[in-house]
DNA sequence: ACTATTTCCTGGATGC
DNA sequence: TGCATCCAGGAAATAG
């Protein structure tokens, strides 16, 4: 499940592999491709475009493109739950659920594979694609604190809200809350300044650590070269319901908040 | 204006 | 072994 660290890893890998390359043609799967922009718009933007830059915005991968006439556009890819962007030789076996194939001038292919089809492809023409939320690794402390002021929703839900912060998903929300000692059900508005400060630094720390380890590979997450990440070994609460807390040995609890499983230590988190 | 719930989608795990 | 059921979850849509 690609969240900020996984998407960052994929984007960095793609940047290394395809920056400067030219997309010669694009194939988009059957009728039910996961497109947000019409297939025609996507094809027009991608064909003959040079990849100027690859970056991450929130949970999205953004390819900044330059067409032969110098026109700019962005190919925006959201990996959803199970999406993969793979760069491979053209004779590599075609994975089931391949929804898009871009043929590159270098002879390789860039493939979008997504079994569960929550991923989305779209084109942005505004020249400067920005996400809906603030970047958790860039936002300053006071802005971070202000984001949650007055919100009656559980802090866990607020962290998952992409309009506030972009890129935080279920795993890193749980892990950051554990490290900050805050229960996921606490109303955002009920947290003290000190707690929000701690949450901000815990979130930064956990995201940066995860990026260093190439993200968390829970099910089918791999980077652009097909490599798995290692941060799943550092999870302290996520996916550990019933197991002993690494700090106090109390059994980790699992509850459902906003339809998402949430994991926490009943002793360490208040 | 906010917050909560439902829906989309498939593969893997579980249970009888 | 086989079949049905449940579960995972990002974000848009819908409901309250």
């Amino acid at each position: 499940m690609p969240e900020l660290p996984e998407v960052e890893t994929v984007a960095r890998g793609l940047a290394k592999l395809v920056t400067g390359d030219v997309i010669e043609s694009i194939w988009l799967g059957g009728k039910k491709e996961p497109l947000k922009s019409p297939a025609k718009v996507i094809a027009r933007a991608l064909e003959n475009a040079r990849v100027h830059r690859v970056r991450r915005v929130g949970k999205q991968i953004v390819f900044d493109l330059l067409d032969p006439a110098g026109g700019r556009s962005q190919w925006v890819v959201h990996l959803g739950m199970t999406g993969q962007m793979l760069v491979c030789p053209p004779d590599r076996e075609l994975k089931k659920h391949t929804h898009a194939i871009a043929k590159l001038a270098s002879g390789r292919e860039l493939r979008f594979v997504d079994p569960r089809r929550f991923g989305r492809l779209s084109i942005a023409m505004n020249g400067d694609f920005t996400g809906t939320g603030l970047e958790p690794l860039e936002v300053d402390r006071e802005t971070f604190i202000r984001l949650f002021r007055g919100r009656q929703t559980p802090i866990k839900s607020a962290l998952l809200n992409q309009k506030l912060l972009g890129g935080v998903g279920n795993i890193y929300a749980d892990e950051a809350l554990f490290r900050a000692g805050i229960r996921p059900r606490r109303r955002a508005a009920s947290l003290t300044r000190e707690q929000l400060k701690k949450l901000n630094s815990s979130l930064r720390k956990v995201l940066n650590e995860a990026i260093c380890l190439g993200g968390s590979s829970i099910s089918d997450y791999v980077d652009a070269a097909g490599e798995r990440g290692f941060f799943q070994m550092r999870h302290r609460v996520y996916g550990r319901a019933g197991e002993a807390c690494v700090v106090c040995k109390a059994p980790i609890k699992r509850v459902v908040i906003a339809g998402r499983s949430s994991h926490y230590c009943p002793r360490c988190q208040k």
Side-chain angles (χ1 to χ4, degrees):
Chain A
M1 37 214 80
E3 303 179 26
L4 188 152
E6 291 77 30
V7 181
E8 179 69 31
T9 303
V10 173
R12 286 182 187 178
L14 288 168
K16 206 169 279 180
L17 291 167
V18 305
T19 300
D21 216 332
V22 172
I23 299 170
E24 292 188 328
S25 63
I26 176 81
W27 170 86
L28 298 166
K31 280 191 177 60
K32 301 207 303 183
E33 326 90 291
L35 306 180
K36 256 166 85 180
S37 304
K40 263 194 224 166
V41 172
I42 295 179
R44 199 172 337 137
L46 295 191
E47 278 171 2
N48 300 314
R50 182 176 299 276
V51 179
H52 180 245
R53 188 176 164 212
V54 188
R55 58 198 165 107
R56 175 196 61 76
V57 174
K59 290 176 190 168
Q60 318 180 77
I61 301 164
V62 180
F63 295 83
D64 290 296
L65 304 175
L66 274 174
D67 71 33
R72 292 169 185 277
S73 62
Q74 289 91 43
W75 183 20
V76 182
V77 178
H78 195 303
L79 298 175
M81 282 285 295
T82 52
Q84 300 180 342
M85 287 291 269
L86 299 167
V87 178
C88 62
D91 56 359
R92 177 76 53 84
E93 192 182 346
L94 212 56
K95 282 196 181 189
K96 201 177 167 187
H97 306 298
T98 298
H99 303 301
I101 302 175
K103 286 195 176 297
L104 303 173
S106 60
R108 299 165 303 163
E109 291 183 351
L110 174 56
R111 299 178 180 177
F112 176 66
V113 183
D114 183 16
R116 217 164 295 178
R117 310 210 314 200
F118 278 15
R120 290 290 177 265
L121 307 181
S122 62
I123 298 296
M125 301 296 294
N126 62 1
D128 185 29
F129 178 84
T130 50
T132 50
L134 300 171
E135 285 293 330
L137 293 176
E138 289 167 19
V139 66
D140 69 83
R141 204 169 68 183
E142 289 308 312
T143 309
F144 182 92
I145 290 169
R146 223 175 301 131
L147 278 180
F148 302 102
R149 185 176 293 162
R151 297 195 175 266
Q152 294 308 308
T153 194
I155 185 62
K156 170 71 183 276
S157 303
L159 285 171
L160 295 179
N161 184 347
Q162 301 298 299
K163 293 195 171 85
L164 301 178
L165 290 172
V168 183
N170 209 33
I171 296 173
Y172 298 101
D174 280 5
E175 293 297 321
L177 286 167
F178 173 78
R179 284 159 176 78
I182 299 167
R183 290 201 185 194
R185 268 204 222 281
R186 284 285 300 278
R187 303 272 141 186
S190 78
L191 298 173
T192 63
R193 269 184 65 84
E194 288 310 308
Q195 286 179 309
L196 287 170
K197 273 193 211 169
K198 180 84 173 120
L199 180 58
N200 183 27
S201 65
S202 299
L203 182 60
R204 295 176 86 98
K205 218 173 284 175
V206 76
L207 292 174
N208 278 321
E209 254 181 72
I211 290 171
C212 287
L213 292 179
S216 304
S217 288
I218 297 288
S219 50
D220 30 20
Y221 161 74
V222 290
D223 69 13
E227 298 293 327
R228 293 168 58 85
F230 294 96
F231 193 72
Q232 64 278 12
M233 297 153 130
R234 302 281 184 93
H235 292 175
R236 297 185 191 165
V237 285
Y238 182 85
R240 297 191 66 244
E243 293 176 38
C245 170
V246 294
V247 172
C248 77
K249 304 285 186 271
I252 298 301
K253 281 203 164 200
R254 178 188 174 277
V255 295
V256 174
I257 300 171
R260 297 289 161 260
S261 64
S262 303
H263 314 74
Y264 70 96
C265 171
R267 193 177 299 168
C268 295
Q269 292 172 258
K270 303 293 176 194

Coordinates of all heavy atoms in Angstrom, one line a residue, chain A residues 87-134:
Chain A
V87 N 9.9 -0.3 -14.9 CA 10.7 -0.1 -16.1 C 11.4 -1.4 -16.4 O 12.1 -2.0 -15.6 CB 11.8 1.0 -15.9 CG1 12.6 1.2 -17.1 CG2 11.1 2.3 -15.5
C88 N 11.2 -1.9 -17.7 CA 11.7 -3.2 -18.0 C 12.0 -3.3 -19.5 O 11.5 -2.5 -20.3 CB 10.8 -4.3 -17.5 SG 9.2 -4.2 -18.3
P89 N 12.7 -4.4 -19.9 CA 12.9 -4.6 -21.3 C 11.6 -5.0 -21.9 O 10.7 -5.6 -21.2 CB 13.9 -5.8 -21.4 CG 14.3 -6.1 -20.0 CD 13.4 -5.4 -19.0
P90 N 11.4 -4.8 -23.2 CA 10.1 -5.0 -23.9 C 9.7 -6.5 -23.9 O 8.5 -6.8 -24.0 CB 10.2 -4.5 -25.3 CG 11.7 -4.3 -25.5 CD 12.3 -4.1 -24.1
D91 N 10.7 -7.4 -23.8 CA 10.4 -8.8 -23.9 C 10.0 -9.4 -22.5 O 9.8 -10.6 -22.4 CB 11.5 -9.6 -24.5 CG 12.8 -9.4 -23.8 OD1 12.9 -8.6 -22.8 OD2 13.8 -10.0 -24.3
R92 N 10.1 -8.6 -21.5 CA 9.7 -9.1 -20.1 C 8.3 -9.5 -20.1 O 7.4 -8.9 -20.7 CB 9.9 -8.0 -19.1 CG 9.5 -8.3 -17.7 CD 10.5 -9.2 -17.0 NE 11.8 -8.6 -17.0 CZ 12.3 -7.7 -16.1 NH1 11.5 -7.3 -15.2 NH2 13.6 -7.3 -16.2
E93 N 8.0 -10.7 -19.5 CA 6.6 -11.2 -19.5 C 5.6 -10.2 -19.0 O 5.9 -9.5 -18.0 CB 6.6 -12.5 -18.5 CG 5.4 -13.3 -18.7 CD 5.4 -14.5 -17.7 OE1 6.5 -14.8 -17.2 OE2 4.3 -15.1 -17.5
L94 N 4.5 -10.2 -19.7 CA 3.5 -9.2 -19.3 C 2.7 -9.6 -18.1 O 2.1 -10.7 -18.1 CB 2.5 -9.0 -20.5 CG 1.9 -7.7 -20.7 CD1 3.0 -6.6 -20.9 CD2 1.0 -7.7 -21.9
K95 N 2.7 -8.8 -17.0 CA 2.0 -9.2 -15.8 C 0.5 -9.0 -16.1 O 0.1 -8.2 -16.8 CB 2.4 -8.3 -14.7 CG 3.7 -8.7 -14.0 CD 3.8 -8.0 -12.7 CE 5.1 -8.2 -12.0 NZ 5.1 -7.7 -10.6
K96 N -0.3 -9.9 -15.4 CA -1.7 -9.7 -15.4 C -2.0 -8.3 -14.8 O -1.3 -7.9 -14.0 CB -2.3 -10.8 -14.6 CG -3.8 -11.1 -14.9 CD -4.3 -12.3 -14.0 CE -5.8 -12.4 -14.1 NZ -6.3 -13.4 -13.2
H97 N -3.1 -7.7 -15.3 CA -3.5 -6.4 -14.8 C -2.6 -5.3 -15.2 O -2.4 -4.3 -14.5 CB -3.7 -6.4 -13.3 CG -4.6 -7.5 -12.8 ND1 -5.9 -7.5 -13.1 CD2 -4.4 -8.6 -12.0 CE1 -6.5 -8.6 -12.6 NE2 -5.5 -9.2 -11.9
T98 N -1.9 -5.5 -16.3 CA -1.1 -4.3 -16.9 C -2.1 -3.4 -17.6 O -2.8 -3.9 -18.5 CB 0.0 -4.9 -17.9 OG1 0.9 -5.7 -17.1 CG2 0.7 -3.7 -18.5
H99 N -2.2 -2.2 -17.2 CA -3.2 -1.3 -17.8 C -2.6 -0.2 -18.7 O -3.3 0.4 -19.5 CB -3.9 -0.5 -16.6 CG -4.6 -1.5 -15.7 ND1 -5.5 -2.4 -16.1 CD2 -4.4 -1.6 -14.3 CE1 -5.9 -3.1 -15.0 NE2 -5.2 -2.6 -13.9
A100 N -1.3 0.0 -18.7 CA -0.7 1.0 -19.5 C 0.8 0.6 -19.8 O 1.5 0.1 -18.9 CB -0.7 2.4 -18.9
I101 N 1.2 0.8 -21.1 CA 2.6 0.5 -21.4 C 3.1 1.7 -22.3 O 2.5 2.0 -23.3 CB 2.8 -0.8 -22.3 CG1 2.2 -2.0 -21.5 CG2 4.2 -1.0 -22.7 CD1 2.2 -3.3 -22.3
A102 N 4.2 2.3 -21.8 CA 4.8 3.4 -22.5 C 6.1 2.9 -23.1 O 6.9 2.4 -22.4 CB 5.1 4.6 -21.6
K103 N 6.2 3.0 -24.4 CA 7.4 2.6 -25.1 C 8.4 3.8 -25.1 O 8.0 4.9 -25.5 CB 7.1 2.2 -26.6 CG 6.4 0.8 -26.7 CD 6.5 0.3 -28.1 CE 5.9 -1.1 -28.2 NZ 6.7 -2.1 -27.4
L104 N 9.6 3.5 -24.6 CA 10.6 4.6 -24.5 C 11.6 4.5 -25.6 O 11.9 3.4 -26.2 CB 11.3 4.4 -23.2 CG 10.4 4.4 -21.9 CD1 11.2 4.1 -20.7 CD2 9.7 5.8 -21.8
A105 N 12.2 5.7 -26.0 CA 13.1 5.8 -27.1 C 14.4 4.9 -26.8 O 15.0 4.4 -27.7 CB 13.5 7.2 -27.3
S106 N 14.6 4.7 -25.5 CA 15.8 3.9 -25.1 C 15.6 2.4 -25.4 O 16.5 1.6 -25.2 CB 16.1 4.1 -23.6 OG 14.9 3.7 -22.8
G107 N 14.4 2.1 -25.8 CA 14.1 0.7 -26.1 C 13.4 -0.1 -25.0 O 12.9 -1.2 -25.1
R108 N 13.3 0.5 -23.8 CA 12.7 -0.1 -22.7 C 11.2 0.3 -22.6 O 10.7 1.1 -23.4 CB 13.3 0.3 -21.4 CG 14.8 -0.1 -21.3 CD 15.5 0.6 -20.1 NE 15.4 2.1 -20.4 CZ 15.6 3.0 -19.4 NH1 15.9 2.6 -18.2 NH2 15.4 4.2 -19.6
E109 N 10.5 -0.3 -21.7 CA 9.1 0.0 -21.5 C 8.8 0.4 -20.1 O 9.5 0.0 -19.1 CB 8.2 -1.2 -21.8 CG 8.2 -1.5 -23.3 CD 7.2 -2.6 -23.7 OE1 6.7 -3.3 -22.8 OE2 7.0 -2.9 -24.9
L110 N 7.9 1.3 -19.9 CA 7.4 1.8 -18.6 C 6.0 1.3 -18.5 O 5.1 1.6 -19.3 CB 7.5 3.3 -18.5 CG 6.9 4.0 -17.3 CD1 7.5 3.5 -16.0 CD2 7.1 5.5 -17.4
R111 N 5.8 0.4 -17.5 CA 4.5 -0.3 -17.4 C 3.8 0.0 -16.1 O 4.4 0.1 -15.0 CB 4.7 -1.8 -17.5 CG 5.3 -2.3 -18.8 CD 5.5 -3.8 -18.8 NE 6.1 -4.3 -20.0 CZ 6.4 -5.5 -20.2 NH1 6.2 -6.4 -19.3 NH2 7.0 -5.9 -21.4
F112 N 2.5 0.2 -16.2 CA 1.6 0.4 -15.1 C 0.8 -0.8 -14.8 O 0.0 -1.2 -15.7 CB 0.7 1.6 -15.3 CG -0.2 1.9 -14.2 CD1 0.2 2.3 -12.9 CD2 -1.6 1.7 -14.3 CE1 -0.7 2.5 -11.8 CE2 -2.5 2.0 -13.3 CZ -2.0 2.3 -12.0
V113 N 1.0 -1.4 -13.7 CA 0.3 -2.7 -13.3 C -0.5 -2.4 -12.1 O 0.1 -1.9 -11.1 CB 1.3 -3.8 -13.1 CG1 0.6 -5.1 -12.8 CG2 2.3 -4.0 -14.3
D114 N -1.7 -2.8 -12.0 CA -2.5 -2.6 -10.8 C -3.7 -3.5 -10.7 O -4.8 -3.3 -11.2 CB -3.0 -1.1 -10.9 CG -3.8 -0.8 -9.6 OD1 -3.7 -1.5 -8.6 OD2 -4.5 0.2 -9.6
P115 N -3.5 -4.7 -10.0 CA -4.6 -5.7 -9.9 C -5.9 -5.1 -9.3 O -6.9 -5.4 -9.8 CB -4.0 -6.7 -8.9 CG -2.5 -6.5 -9.0 CD -2.3 -5.1 -9.3
R116 N -5.8 -4.3 -8.2 CA -7.0 -3.9 -7.6 C -7.6 -2.6 -8.2 O -8.7 -2.2 -7.9 CB -6.8 -3.7 -6.1 CG -7.9 -4.1 -5.2 CD -7.5 -4.2 -3.8 NE -6.6 -5.3 -3.6 CZ -6.0 -5.6 -2.4 NH1 -6.3 -4.9 -1.4 NH2 -5.2 -6.6 -2.3
R117 N -6.9 -2.0 -9.1 CA -7.4 -0.9 -9.9 C -7.9 0.3 -9.1 O -8.9 0.9 -9.4 CB -8.5 -1.4 -10.8 CG -8.0 -2.6 -11.6 CD -8.6 -2.8 -12.9 NE -10.0 -2.6 -13.0 CZ -10.8 -3.0 -14.0 NH1 -10.2 -3.7 -14.9 NH2 -12.0 -2.8 -14.0
F118 N -7.2 0.5 -8.0 CA -7.6 1.8 -7.2 C -6.6 2.9 -7.7 O -6.8 4.0 -7.4 CB -7.4 1.6 -5.7 CG -8.5 0.9 -5.1 CD1 -9.5 0.3 -5.8 CD2 -8.6 1.0 -3.7 CE1 -10.6 -0.3 -5.1 CE2 -9.7 0.4 -3.0 CZ -10.7 -0.3 -3.7
G119 N -5.7 2.5 -8.5 CA -4.7 3.5 -9.1 C -5.4 4.4 -10.1 O -6.4 4.0 -10.7
R120 N -4.8 5.5 -10.4 CA -5.3 6.5 -11.4 C -4.3 7.1 -12.2 O -3.2 7.5 -11.7 CB -6.2 7.5 -10.7 CG -7.5 7.0 -10.0 CD -8.5 6.6 -11.1 NE -9.7 6.1 -10.5 CZ -9.9 4.8 -10.4 NH1 -9.0 3.9 -10.7 NH2 -11.1 4.4 -9.9
L121 N -4.5 7.3 -13.5 CA -3.6 8.0 -14.4 C -4.4 9.3 -14.8 O -5.5 9.2 -15.1 CB -3.3 7.2 -15.6 CG -2.8 5.8 -15.4 CD1 -2.5 5.1 -16.8 CD2 -1.5 5.8 -14.6
S122 N -3.6 10.4 -14.8 CA -4.3 11.6 -15.3 C -3.2 12.5 -15.9 O -2.0 12.4 -15.7 CB -5.1 12.3 -14.3 OG -4.2 12.7 -13.2
I123 N -3.7 13.6 -16.6 CA -2.8 14.6 -17.2 C -3.2 15.9 -16.6 O -4.3 16.3 -16.5 CB -3.0 14.7 -18.7 CG1 -2.6 13.3 -19.4 CG2 -2.2 15.8 -19.3 CD1 -1.1 13.0 -19.2
A124 N -2.1 16.7 -16.2 CA -2.4 18.0 -15.7 C -1.6 19.0 -16.6 O -0.5 18.7 -17.1 CB -1.8 18.2 -14.3
M125 N -2.3 20.1 -17.0 CA -1.7 21.0 -18.0 C -1.3 22.3 -17.4 O -0.9 23.2 -18.1 CB -2.7 21.2 -19.1 CG -3.2 20.0 -19.8 SD -1.8 19.1 -20.7 CE -1.5 20.4 -22.0
N126 N -1.5 22.4 -16.1 CA -1.3 23.8 -15.5 C 0.2 24.1 -15.3 O 0.5 25.2 -14.8 CB -2.0 23.9 -14.1 CG -1.5 22.9 -13.1 OD1 -0.6 22.1 -13.4 ND2 -2.1 22.8 -12.0
G127 N 1.1 23.2 -15.6 CA 2.5 23.5 -15.6 C 3.1 23.4 -14.2 O 4.3 23.3 -14.1
D128 N 2.3 23.3 -13.2 CA 2.9 23.3 -11.9 C 1.9 22.5 -11.0 O 1.3 23.1 -10.1 CB 3.0 24.7 -11.4 CG 3.7 24.7 -10.0 OD1 4.5 23.8 -9.7 OD2 3.5 25.7 -9.2
F129 N 1.9 21.2 -11.2 CA 1.0 20.4 -10.4 C 1.3 20.4 -8.9 O 2.4 20.2 -8.5 CB 1.1 18.9 -10.9 CG 0.2 18.0 -10.1 CD1 -1.2 17.9 -10.4 CD2 0.7 17.3 -9.0 CE1 -2.0 17.0 -9.7 CE2 -0.2 16.4 -8.3 CZ -1.5 16.3 -8.6
T130 N 0.3 20.7 -8.1 CA 0.4 20.7 -6.7 C -0.7 19.8 -6.1 O -1.8 19.7 -6.6 CB 0.3 22.1 -6.0 OG1 -0.8 22.7 -6.5 CG2 1.6 22.9 -6.4
G131 N -0.4 19.2 -5.0 CA -1.4 18.3 -4.4 C -2.4 19.1 -3.6 O -2.3 20.4 -3.6
T132 N -3.3 18.4 -3.0 CA -4.3 19.1 -2.2 C -3.9 19.5 -0.8 O -4.4 20.4 -0.2 CB -5.6 18.3 -2.1 OG1 -5.3 17.0 -1.7 CG2 -6.3 18.2 -3.5
G133 N -2.9 18.7 -0.3 CA -2.5 18.9 1.1 C -1.1 19.4 1.2 O -0.4 19.4 0.2
L134 N -0.6 19.7 2.4 CA 0.7 20.1 2.6 C 1.7 18.9 2.7 O 1.2 17.8 3.1 CB 0.8 21.0 3.9 CG 0.0 22.2 3.9 CD1 0.0 22.8 5.3 CD2 0.5 23.2 2.9

